[in-house]
Amino acid sequence: MGKAGRSALIEAYLDRRADLVRFFTLRLRSDAAAEDLVQEIYVRLARVADDIAIENPAAYLYRLGSNLMLEQMRGQRRSAARDAAWGDAQAMTLGPDPVADEVAADEALAARQRLTAVVEAVRELPPRTQEVFRLHKLEGLSHTETAARLGVSRSAVEKHMIAVLKHLAVRIAANTGGSRGSAASSSRKRESDDRGNS
């Protein structure tokens, strides 16, 4: 057979397309993967120069397809190795057992309910106490930084935070029905009252 250019390669491709699909289906063990590969052969042929000299267009098609198949396999191996390395780096274990990195649905729901209870409890507080809580706990400012931002003393910030924590303890104990928590908060309240009366 004489030398062929791009048009001869495309003609050979169209004549042998079904054979190419069968050939690569056997190697890839997947009809879809073989179809994709044979389509990629056509895409590559469309980029070939018009005046390219090819002695055997059919052999060129099979060689091109084999090279593409090897490229894909190398890429898949690299991708699998990269994914495995990432998974190993992200995995948490407890002894020999992997730990799930997803929170169980019931735990997520419980956490959401606790957060809602905290937000509702904080909204019941005076505005200045809410502001102190927001700056210190949510924005991460220290007591000194919070005091400077609000123009109050550090001890005033501490008193507001104590008020928030006491209020949250009472509310959370009431929401969970925890007798231990409410007993502890009652005990703390009595101690506070005793100090206030002294």
Side-chain angles (χ1 to χ4, degrees):
M1 181 178 255
K3 295 191 178 193
R6 181 173 60 189
S7 59
L9 285 172
I10 291 175
E11 187 178 323
Y13 170 86
L14 294 173
D15 287 344
R16 291 178 172 79
R17 188 180 190 293
D19 294 336
L20 288 165
V21 170
R22 277 193 297 275
F23 179 83
F24 289 110
T25 296
L26 291 172
R27 274 137 192 86
L28 295 169
R29 296 187 181 106
S30 166
D31 292 336
E35 283 287 346
D36 289 346
L37 181 76
V38 171
Q39 183 62 37
E40 183 62 25
I41 291 171
Y42 183 80
V43 170
R44 296 286 177 103
L45 292 178
R47 293 188 213 150
V48 170
D50 282 330
D51 58 349
I52 190 169
I54 304 291
E55 289 288 331
N56 185 342
Y60 181 85
L61 294 175
Y62 284 96
R63 188 172 65 243
L64 176 59
S66 295
N67 289 343
L68 288 171
M69 181 178 66
L70 291 174
E71 279 177 32
Q72 286 179 0
M73 292 167 78
R74 283 188 205 112
Q76 288 168 350
R77 277 196 295 269
R78 280 192 303 269
S79 178
R82 185 178 56 245
D83 290 349
W86 185 87
D88 290 344
Q90 301 301 315
M92 295 187 312
T93 58
L94 184 61
D97 301 322
V99 176
D101 56 346
E102 298 168 355
V103 179
D106 57 337
E107 291 175 20
L109 177 62
R112 204 171 304 122
Q113 290 170 339
R114 285 191 302 270
L115 178 61
T116 301
V118 167
V119 169
E120 288 173 1
V122 170
R123 284 186 182 146
E124 296 169 355
L125 295 166
R128 178 62 91 172
T129 306
Q130 288 183 40
E131 182 71 3
V132 168
F133 178 80
R134 183 183 63 75
L135 291 172
H136 179 60
K137 289 297 185 184
L138 302 180
E139 293 187 20
L141 299 181
S142 68
H143 284 184
T144 304
E145 292 167 330
T146 302
R149 174 88 59 94
L150 296 175
V152 297
S153 69
R154 185 171 189 259
S155 68
V157 169
E158 290 170 353
K159 287 176 185 171
H160 282 292
M161 285 307 301
I162 289 168
V164 171
L165 296 175
K166 283 181 179 179
H167 183 69
L168 288 175
V170 169
R171 282 294 310 257
I172 290 171
N175 285 344
T176 58
S179 57
R180 220 174 59 185
S182 56
S185 65
S186 297
S187 171
R188 284 191 300 268
K189 182 169 179 8
R190 279 194 302 275
E191 289 172 12
S192 174
D193 290 344
D194 291 343
R195 276 184 290 199
N197 293 333
S198 334

